[in-house]
Amino acid sequence: MFSRRNFTVSAAALGLAMGLSSAASAEKWDMPLAYSATNYHSQIAAEFAAEVTEKTGGKLEIVTHPSGSLFGGAEIFSAVRRGLAPIGERLVSALSNENPIYEMDSIPFLATSFPEAKALYAAQKPALTKLLDDANLVFLYSGPWPPQGFYSKVQAGSKAELKGLKFRAYNATTSRVAELMGMLPTKIEAAELSQAFATGVAESMISSGSTGYDRKLWEHVDYFYDVRAWLPRNMVFVNKDAWEGLDEATQGIILDAAATAESKVWAKSEELADYYLEQFTKEGMTVGDAPAGLKADFQAAGQVLLDEWKEKAGDDGAALLAEYEAKQ
Ligand code: PCA
């Protein structure tokens, strides 16, 4: 029979159980992203987050924050490292001040196609995972941007015509290439790009069709030279303390979702590469290969960067280059 006393006890027990289960096991992870919500990196990260949330039955909910809305691109790595955010995404090569190994995918003309970029990733991945581990981070997945081309307000047959042009850089490599080409680099995150071009702070940049498309660069520049200089990658990583706080089943769900996300990013990037350039043409931009003189100038700059990287990265770098060659 139902007694009042029993009812009170069981209601209290139920309340306690519910309270405990939400306090002890349900967790929400904020995931800062630097790029716009509609970009395929961000969309796939959101799908990754939804998959983890769903497969853990809401025990771990991951919520993405695109466009640098939670932490700006330049802050994400240290935010996750310090545990201010448990998980995040960052452009790998932007971390070159931590270690030159991070910069490998942005060495000009080293890997210029999707298969080459994949071989380079395979060569770099063990070192990357180790570097992150040393930084209190757990590597999850990494996928590319389409090949990098040159956006310019001015038509250019060679670097002589670019002298003094203001250049938007996204890492040390792009800054250095700009310098060698006689331009004036400033680092600007993708989220601030439209503003920078609209106000004349930037007049040129090296990036993929993807970022120019996201930021409607045709409103500001007329020329896209399809240089195909390299394919930089983003990567997603987790704070190690946050990771170790998860049970094994949850970690397994995350690793599976990360593997799915990684193959989706590679496929989507390749699928969209030409689409972006077609949209530029439709919007009235002049899109085409770089003229021979300009291409030769970029290649000369690229050689300087390769030599400088070899010097900085020493024996570790040489081993990775050999590994990359073996994988091609
Ligand atoms: N887009 C990013 C990095 C590389 C790319 O294609 C950007 O321009 O910030």
Side-chain angles (χ1 to χ4, degrees), residues 35 91 145-146 148 168 170 188-190 193 205-211 232 234:
Y35 300 96
L91 182 71
W145 291 92
Q148 305 291 290
R168 174 265 171 167
Y170 62 69
I188 297 166
E189 285 295 321
L193 208 54
M205 71 171 180
I206 291 174
S207 188
S208 60
S210 181
T211 296
N234 284 355

Side-chain angles (χ1 to χ4, degrees), residues 306-320:
L306 175 61
D307 294 342
E308 288 177 351
W309 188 82
K310 283 182 178 163
E311 179 87 30
K312 281 186 292 193
D315 292 345
D316 290 347
L320 290 189

